[in-house]
C-alpha cells in the first residue's frame, strides 16, 4: 500500500544527494570540480578493458539536478494521477527505473556505460508507454517507440566499434585525449553515427515518428519523457562528444541541419493537432530541434543548448502536468475541441499552464525568452539561413501554443453533460505550481552574469568563437518578439474571434492535411523501409525454403526415388535372374573379344 511512497522517497533522496554534491562542487575550483570514481572492472577481455566508472562534472551535474528534481515532482504528481490504478506500485517501479537508467547514462565515464543507460531508458519508455497495454493503441505505440529507437541505438553501437578500432578504448578520457591525431574522415563517421543515435532518442528527423504515439502512456510518463529524461539524452550525447564534433565540421553541420529541419517539422505538426498531448509532443520535437541546432553550432552553441534544455525541463513538464490536470477534470478527454472556457473552473491549472505557455513562446521575463533567444542570436551569428529558421520556428510556436490555450481555457464550453470539470487535488497541484515558478525564474537565473556559460566552460574541449551578429542584439530581440506576437495574433484571430467547431473540419488545405498526418512521416517509413523490408523478407524466405532447405531435403528425396526405381528390378523370378546373368556374361565376353581384336 505504500509502494508509491517508496518510489517518491527514492527520487527525492537522489535529488537531495545531487543538491548536496552540487553545493560541494561550488566550493571547489574549476580544475577540481570533476569527481571520478571507478566502481569495478566491468569488461576484462584481451584488447579491451572497461571499468564501470562514474564521472560527475559540471555538465552531468546539470542533468542530475534536472532528472532528479523534475523527476521527483512528476513522481509526487503521479500519486494523485494514478490513485485508482490497480498497478500503481508497478508504475512507480517503472518510473524509478527510468530515473536510474537516465542517471547511469549521464554519469558514465565511458561510452559503454552510457550505452547501458541508453538502453535502460529505451526499456523504461517501452514499459511506461505501454503501461496500459490492454489498449491496442498503447501496446502498438510502445512497440513502435522500441523499434524506432533500435535503429538509433545501432548508430551508437557502430560508433563504439569505430572508436575501439581507432583508439583501442571507449572511455571518454582516452577517446577525447587522442582525437587530435585522428583523421577527419574517421571522426566524421563517428559523429554521424552518434547523430543517428541522437535522432532516435531525441525524436529528430528521420527517427521522429515514435514521439506522438508515445502519448498513449499515462500523462506523467509523457512529462518525464519529454522534460527530464529520454528526449534530452540525444542532446547530452552530442554535447558530451564535443571533442569529436569540433574536429568533424561536416558531422557538426549535419547536426545543425537535422535540428533546423526538426524544429520546423515539429512546429508545423503542432499547428494541426486537436489532441492536447500530441500538440505538446510536437512542440517537444520542435524545442529539442532548437537544442540540437544549437549543439550543431559548436562551442558557440553548446551552453545555449543546455540552457534551453534546462528551462524546457521546467515549462514542458509544467505543460504536460497541466494537460494531465485538464484530462483529470474532463474524464480523460484529450480532444481540445471538447474543452473551452475551463479557466474559470480550473483557475490554478490555468495559471500554471499559462506560465508554461508564456515561457515556451518566449515572452519576457519567462524562461524561454532567455534560452531560446540565445539560440536565435547564435544561429544568426553563425549562418543566416539557420537564423531565419529559428525565427520562423518562434512564430509558429507562438501560433500553435496560443491555439492550445484558446481552445482549452477560453471561449464557450464545448463539453457534454458527462464531464464535471474540477480542480486537481493538492498532490497534483503543488508540483504544477513549483514548475510554474521554474518556468518564470530559471531563464534569468541561468543567464545572469553568463552563469551557466561560465559553469560549463571547463567541460568543452574548444573555446567558443564569437561571430559578429551584424545587428544590435536588442534589435534582434525586438524582431523576435514581433514575430512571436504576430503568431499569437494570427492564432487569436482564427480561434479567439470565431466559434471553434466541436468536430474538426474535413475539408482543409493540403498543408493542414499533411500536418494532421505528421507530414507523412509514417507513410514515408512504410514506403521506404517497411514495404521493401517485407519484400526482401519474402525473397529470403523463398531462397531459404527452395534453395537452402531444398538442397538439404533434396538429397534424401533423390536417394528415396532412386531406391524405389531400383527396387523394381527385384522381381523374385529365377528365370529373370538367369536371363540377367546371361546378359552380363555375354556383355563381358563381347568386351573382352573387342579388346583382343584391337
Amino acid at each position: 500500500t505504500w509502494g508509491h511512497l517508496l518510489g517518491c522517497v527514492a527520487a527525492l533522496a537522489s535529488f537531495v544527494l545531487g543538491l548536496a554534491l552540487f553545493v560541494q562542487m561550488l566550493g571547489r575550483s574549476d580544475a577540481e570540480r570533476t569527481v571520478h570514481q571507478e566502481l569495478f572492472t566491468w569488461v576484462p577481455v584481451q584488447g579491451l578493458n572497461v571499468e564501470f566508472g562514474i564521472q560527475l562534472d559540471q555538465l552531468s551535474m546539470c542533468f542530475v539536478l534536472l532528472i532528479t528534481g523534475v523527476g521527483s515532482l512528476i513522481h509526487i504528481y503521479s500519486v494523485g494521477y494514478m490513485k485508482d490504478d490497480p498497478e500503481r506500485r508497478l508504475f512507480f517501479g517503472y518510473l524509478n527505473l527510468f530515473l536510474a537508467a537516465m542517471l547511469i547514462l549521464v554519469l558514465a565515464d565511458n561510452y559503454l556505460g552510457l550505452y547501458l543507460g541508453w538502453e535502460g531508458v529505451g526499456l523504461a519508455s517501452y514499459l511506461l508507454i505501454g503501461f496500459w497495454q490492454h489498449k491496442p493503441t498503447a501496446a502498438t505505440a510502445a512497440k513502435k517507440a522500441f523499434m524506432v529507437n533500435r535503429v538509433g541505438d545501432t548508430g551508437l553501437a557502430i560508433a563504439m566499434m569505430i572508436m575501439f578500432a581507432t583508439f583501442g578504448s571507449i572511455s571518454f578520457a582516452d577517446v577525447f585525449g587522442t582525437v587530435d591525431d585522428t583523421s577527419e574522415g574517421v571522426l566524421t563517421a563517428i559523429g554521424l553515427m552518434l547523430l543517428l543515435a541522437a535522432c532516435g532518442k531525441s525524436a529528430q528527423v528521420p527517427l521522429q515518428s515514435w514521439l506522438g504515439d508515445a502519448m498513449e502512456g499515462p500523462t506523467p510518463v509523457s512529462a518525464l519523457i519529454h522534460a527530464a529524461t529520454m528526449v534530452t539524452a540525444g542532446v547530452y550525447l552530442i554535447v558530451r562528444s564535443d571533442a569529436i564534433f569540433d574536429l568533424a565540421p561536416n558531422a557538426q553541420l549535419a547536426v545543425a541541419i537535422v535540428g533546423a529541419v526538426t524544429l520546423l517539422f515539429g512546429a508545423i505538426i503542432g499547428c494541426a493537432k486537436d489532441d492536447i498531448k500530441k500538440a505538446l509532443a510536437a512542440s517537444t520535437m520542435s524545442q529539442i530541434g532548437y537544442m540540437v541546432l544549437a549543439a550543431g553550432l559548436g562551442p558557440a552553441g553548446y551552453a545555449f543548448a543546455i540552457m534551453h534544455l534546462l528551462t524546457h525541463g521546467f515549462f514542458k513538464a509544467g505543460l504536460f502536468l497541466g494537460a494531465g490536470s485538464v484530462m483529470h477534470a474532463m474524464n480523460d478527454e484529450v480532444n481540445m475541441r471538447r474543452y473551452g472556457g475551463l479557466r474559470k473552473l480550473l483557475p490554478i491549472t490555468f495559471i500554471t499552464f499559462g506560465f508554461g505557455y508564456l515561457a515556451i513562446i518566449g515572452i519576457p521575463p519567462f524562461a524561454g525568452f532567455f534560452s531560446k533567444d540565445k539560440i536565435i542570436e547564435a544561429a544568426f551569428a553563425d549562418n543566416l539561413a539557420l537564423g531565419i529558421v529559428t525565427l520562423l520556428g518562434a512564430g509558429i510556436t507562438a501560433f500553435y501554443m496560443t491555439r492550445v490555450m484558446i481552445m482549452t481555457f477560453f471561449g464557450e464550453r464545448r463539453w457534454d453533460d458527462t464531464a464535471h470539470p474540477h480542480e486537481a487535488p493538492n498532490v497534483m497541484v503543488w508540483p504544477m505550481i513549483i514548475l510554474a515558478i521554474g518556468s518564470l525564474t530559471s531563464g534569468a537565473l541561468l543567464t545572469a552574469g553568463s552563469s551557466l556559460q561560465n559553469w560549463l566552460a571547463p567541460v568543452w574541449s574548444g573555446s567558443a568563437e564569437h561571430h559578429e551578429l551584424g545587428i544590435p542584439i536588442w534589435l534582434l530581440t525586438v524582431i523576435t518578439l514581433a514575430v512571436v506576437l504576430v503568431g499569437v495574433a494570427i492564432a487569436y484571430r482564427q480561434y479567439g474571434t470565431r466559434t471553434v467547431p466541436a468536430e474538426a473540419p474535413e475539408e482543409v488545405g493540403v498543408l493542414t492535411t499533411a500536418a494532421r498526418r505528421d507530414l507523412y512521416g509514417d507513410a514515408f517509413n512504410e514506403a521506404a523501409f517497411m514495404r521493401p523490408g517485407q519484400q526482401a523478407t519474402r525473397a529470403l524466405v523463398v531462397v531459404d525454403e527452395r534453395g537452402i532447405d531444398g538442397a538439404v531435403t533434396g538429397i534424401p528425396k533423390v536417394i528415396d526415388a532412386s531406391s524405389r526405381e531400383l527396387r523394381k528390378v527385384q522381381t523374385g523370378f529365377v528365370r529373370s535372374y538367369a536371363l540377367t546373368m546371361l546378359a552380363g556374361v555375354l556383355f563381358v565376353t563381347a568386351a573382352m573379344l573387342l579388346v583382343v581384336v584391337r
Side-chain angles (χ1 to χ4, degrees):
T1 56
W2 44 269
H4 58 290
L5 300 179
L6 176 62
C8 292
V9 169
L12 284 168
S14 298
F15 175 65
V16 172
L17 178 58
L19 203 58
L21 291 171
F22 173 64
V23 173
Q24 289 181 13
M25 190 177 285
L26 287 174
R28 304 192 191 103
S29 64
D30 289 347
E32 297 176 340
R33 280 177 173 169
T34 299
V35 179
H36 184 266
Q37 185 176 2
E38 292 182 355
L39 302 181
F40 55 86
T41 299
W42 189 14
V43 183
V45 297
Q46 185 175 2
L48 178 64
N49 192 355
V50 181
E51 301 289 334
F52 195 100
I54 55 175
Q55 173 179 304
L56 183 65
D57 60 10
Q58 293 92 321
L59 177 60
S60 51
M61 178 57 78
C62 291
F63 281 84
V64 166
L65 294 177
L66 174 68
I67 295 163
T68 58
V70 175
S72 295
L73 293 175
I74 294 171
H75 273 68
I76 295 170
Y77 176 94
S78 300
V79 172
Y81 193 88
M82 301 295 288
K83 179 181 178 181
D84 299 322
D85 196 290
E87 297 290 344
R88 182 165 67 167
R89 287 182 302 170
L90 181 65
F91 179 79
F92 276 85
Y94 288 165
L95 287 186
N96 276 189
L97 174 63
F98 215 150
L99 261 61
M102 191 66 189
L103 287 172
I104 291 173
L105 192 158
V106 300
L107 288 172
D109 70 346
N110 62 80
Y111 280 99
L112 190 60
L114 185 151
Y115 189 75
L116 175 64
W118 193 268
E119 292 301 317
V121 295
L123 169 63
S125 67
Y126 167 77
L127 295 172
L128 285 166
I129 293 170
F131 186 75
W132 290 326
Q133 68 263 26
H134 59 274
K135 297 165 53 180
T137 52
T140 301
K143 289 186 288 186
K144 182 177 182 180
F146 194 81
M147 294 306 299
V148 172
N149 273 275
R150 295 294 70 73
V151 178
D153 298 350
T154 302
L156 182 53
I158 293 174
M160 287 193 295
M161 295 174 192
I162 300 174
M163 290 176 194
F164 175 59
T166 305
F167 308 110
S169 173
I170 52 177
S171 72
F172 295 155
D174 292 339
V175 173
F176 301 157
T178 54
V179 290
D180 291 336
D181 301 324
T182 308
S183 69
E184 183 179 320
V186 171
L187 294 178
T188 299
I190 296 174
L192 291 177
M193 289 299 100
L194 293 176
L195 174 59
L196 177 63
C199 286
K201 278 290 179 287
S202 294
Q204 300 292 284
V205 172
L207 300 180
Q208 81 293 340
S209 61
W210 66 271
L211 194 63
D213 297 78
M215 298 304 96
E216 291 293 336
T219 300
V221 175
S222 303
L224 196 59
I225 290 177
H226 288 251
T229 56
M230 189 162 172
V231 296
T232 65
V235 180
Y236 172 80
L237 178 64
I238 294 172
V239 298
R240 174 59 77 186
S241 306
D242 65 296
I244 295 173
F245 285 100
D246 287 348
L247 297 176
N250 290 329
Q252 199 168 66
L253 177 61
V255 171
I257 292 173
V258 166
V261 171
T262 310
L263 188 165
L264 293 179
F265 198 95
I268 292 171
I269 291 174
C271 294
K273 293 297 182 182
D274 293 331
D275 184 320
I276 187 171
K277 288 176 65 178
K278 290 192 175 183
L280 294 178
S283 79
T284 298
M285 190 190 309
S286 180
Q287 296 304 306
I288 298 294
Y290 270 103
M291 302 171 206
V292 172
L293 187 152
L297 300 178
Y302 291 143
F304 300 144
I306 299 302
M307 182 188 300
H308 196 52
L309 186 149
L310 295 175
T311 60
H312 179 263
F314 284 103
F315 62 71
K316 183 50 61 68
L319 287 169
F320 265 110
L321 296 190
S325 178
V326 172
M327 292 168 56
H328 180 269
M330 299 294 291
N331 294 335
D332 291 328
E333 177 62 65
V334 296
N335 190 342
M336 294 184 293
R337 293 183 180 275
R338 312 277 170 80
Y339 294 164
L342 291 178
R343 71 184 186 281
K344 297 179 180 178
L345 300 173
L346 309 175
I348 299 177
T349 301
F350 168 64
I351 294 173
T352 56
F353 194 95
F355 272 42
Y357 157 72
L358 294 172
I360 194 173
I361 68 174
I363 298 296
F366 291 87
F369 166 75
F370 296 94
S371 57
K372 190 191 294 184
D373 273 33
K374 287 294 183 183
I375 296 176
I376 294 173
E377 292 169 14
F380 268 106
D382 185 86
N383 184 288
L384 178 61
L386 293 178
I388 292 174
V389 167
T390 58
L391 192 61
L392 182 60
I396 301 175
T397 300
F399 171 81
Y400 71 75
M401 285 306 304
T402 303
R403 176 179 181 268
V404 170
M405 280 295 293
I406 293 174
M407 292 179 70
T408 303
F409 295 104
F410 294 89
E412 299 297 326
R413 57 165 284 184
R414 297 184 297 277
W415 67 84
D416 56 32
D417 294 334
T418 60
H420 301 88
H422 55 281
E423 194 61 87
N426 288 335
V427 73
M428 294 171 63
V429 165
W430 277 107
M432 293 160 54
I433 293 174
I434 295 172
L435 291 169
I437 294 172
S439 300
L440 173 63
T441 61
S442 60
L445 292 175
L446 293 173
T447 56
S450 300
S451 55
L452 185 65
Q453 290 173 267
N454 296 331
W455 170 260
L456 292 173
V459 177
W460 318 132
S461 60
S463 58
E465 297 180 6
H466 297 284
H467 299 282
E468 291 295 330
L469 185 56
I471 61 173
I473 292 179
W474 67 265
L475 179 58
L476 181 58
T477 301
V478 170
I479 294 172
T480 302
L481 285 174
V483 171
V484 167
L485 293 177
V486 168
V488 172
I490 295 174
Y492 177 76
R493 179 178 180 275
Q494 186 165 343
Y495 297 96
T497 61
R498 305 173 185 177
T499 302
V500 177
E503 299 296 332
E506 295 184 2
E507 296 184 3
V508 292
V510 176
L511 184 58
T512 302
T513 301
R516 286 180 180 177
R517 299 180 182 179
D518 298 337
L519 297 183
Y520 303 107
D522 286 334
F524 173 80
N525 289 338
E526 181 176 340
F529 301 110
M530 193 186 85
R531 297 303 178 192
Q534 288 177 332
Q535 294 173 2
T537 302
R538 293 191 186 102
L540 289 172
V541 168
V542 172
V543 171
D544 181 58
E545 292 180 348
R546 299 184 182 179
I548 299 173
D549 288 353
V552 173
T553 60
I555 295 174
K557 287 180 180 179
V558 170
I559 295 174
D560 179 67
S562 302
S563 300
R564 292 177 184 277
E565 294 300 321
L566 186 60
R567 192 167 56 189
K568 293 179 181 178
V569 304
Q570 301 292 331
T571 64
F573 296 112
V574 175
R575 60 180 178 272
S576 297
Y577 300 151
L579 180 61
T580 302
M581 293 172 64
L582 176 61
V585 169
L586 293 175
F587 176 77
V588 171
T589 303
M592 293 175 65
L593 290 174
L594 182 61
V595 172
V596 171
V597 171
R598 286 186 177 180

